[in-house]
Amino acid sequence: MVIERGYHSYHMVERSPWPVVGASGALGVALGVIVYMHYRVIIVLIIGVITVIGTMVGWWRDIIREATYKGEHTRRVRQGIVYGIILFIVSEVCLFVSLFWAYIHNGLSPAVEIGNVWPPIGIQAMLANGVPLVNTVVLLSSGATITIGHHGIISRRYKEAIIGISVTVLLGGLFSLLQYMEYKGASYTIADSVYGSAFYITTGAHGLHVLIGSIFIGVCLCRLIVGQYSSSHLVGFEGSVWYWHFVDIVWLCLYIIMYWWGA
């Protein structure tokens, strides 16, 4: 039976090696972390990281070609991408709700093993008016600068957009640096009772999202500089804007729950 392939507005994805290569790289990173923790051998982790970075470069290059040069991202395809971004953010909301739930549950009913108090006996919680407050200012400021960049693209003021997005990337890097300094100066670790586990898993997951969001926005900045965005074709960048505002909201919840209420 012969199937005629007439014109349609959907993007028929071609065969690509990147899903398999990317999954192999992610597996290599996971195994590499385990091997390094147990045997202090880092070669497996390096190979996994290089594979993941290569997948990012190759896969993003193919998608940019499809959208910018081949014209395969029609209006209907872009609508599907928007739905995908929304569903992804919803799944991330579920992740952080579960982490906050674990922290609040243990904080409201601390077990006898940790002294029936929260924070547990022997743990000095971080002050909310220290580095966390500075990070709050930094992240909220980055939300304002990326909004400026977004409106700059829509109004065709591309120089203003480049400046706003560049400042956002710098503020994201500053946030990650300050969080690293916070971890270095902490008086407890992830192994110190349920408090340490809940704190570092939640703040670490958010820090990873900030790092991913900074890379996301950085790639969009490069695409803007080379002229691949316009006021009517910027779905990829708008996805990074939504993701970054989500990161801002999660940090506000995290600051209130874990640094202010939890301490």
Side-chain angles (χ1 to χ4, degrees):
M1 181 176 65
V2 178
I3 300 178
E4 294 184 0
R5 300 183 61 182
Y7 172 78
H8 55 79
S9 57
Y10 295 96
H11 175 209
M12 305 304 295
V13 181
E14 300 176 354
R15 292 182 179 179
S16 172
W18 301 122
V20 175
V21 176
S24 302
L27 177 61
V29 170
L31 292 178
V33 171
I34 295 173
V35 171
Y36 177 74
M37 287 183 176
H38 286 275
Y39 307 106
R40 288 298 185 267
V41 178
I42 200 171
I43 184 65
V44 179
L45 179 59
I46 292 176
I47 295 174
V49 170
I50 292 175
T51 304
V52 170
I53 293 175
T55 302
M56 292 164 59
V57 173
W59 206 342
W60 292 348
R61 177 203 62 192
D62 292 347
I63 294 174
I64 290 171
R65 286 176 177 175
E66 294 170 355
T68 307
Y69 304 114
K70 295 183 179 180
E72 294 178 346
H73 286 191
T74 62
R75 179 175 298 179
R76 189 178 295 274
V77 172
R78 294 199 300 271
Q79 186 180 44
I81 294 174
V82 169
Y83 291 155
I85 295 172
I86 293 173
L87 289 175
F88 170 71
I89 293 176
V90 169
S91 70
E92 297 297 286
V93 170
C94 295
L95 168 65
F96 281 100
V97 166
S98 65
L99 295 176
F100 289 145
W101 182 276
Y103 186 88
I104 294 173
H105 171 76
N106 286 282
L108 291 176
S109 57
V112 66
E113 290 82 5
I114 60 175
N116 286 331
V117 293
W118 192 262
I121 296 175
I123 290 183
Q124 183 177 0
M126 297 181 186
L127 297 177
N129 59 356
V131 175
L133 181 59
V134 177
N135 265 344
T136 301
V137 175
V138 169
L139 211 54
L140 291 180
S141 301
S142 69
T145 55
I146 198 171
T147 301
I148 293 173
H150 187 196
H151 284 287
I153 297 177
I154 294 175
S155 59
R156 296 185 175 90
R157 297 196 298 267
Y158 296 111
K159 184 177 180 180
E160 174 185 314
I162 291 173
I163 294 174
I165 299 169
S166 300
V167 173
T168 303
V169 175
L170 292 176
L171 290 175
L174 178 60
F175 179 93
S176 299
L177 177 61
L178 290 173
Q179 188 173 46
Y180 171 76
M181 294 170 59
E182 179 188 45
Y183 284 173
K184 289 283 287 185
S187 60
Y188 54 92
T189 68
I190 194 172
D192 288 327
S193 77
V194 67
Y195 183 89
S197 299
F199 176 85
Y200 279 103
I201 289 176
T202 307
T203 57
H206 178 268
L208 180 62
H209 282 69
V210 171
L211 181 60
I212 293 172
S214 299
I215 296 173
F216 194 177
I217 297 170
V219 173
C220 292
L221 174 62
C222 295
R223 294 189 62 189
L224 176 62
I225 292 174
V226 298
Q228 294 182 357
Y229 285 132
S230 66
S231 58
S232 60
H233 191 91
L234 67 164
V235 173
F237 175 69
E238 287 182 333
S240 71
V241 174
W242 301 338
Y243 183 85
W244 197 252
H245 287 318
F246 159 74
V247 169
D248 284 349
I249 294 172
V250 170
W251 174 256
L252 287 177
C253 297
L254 193 153
Y255 178 79
I256 294 172
I257 294 173
M258 309 195 76
Y259 287 103
W260 183 70
W261 176 82

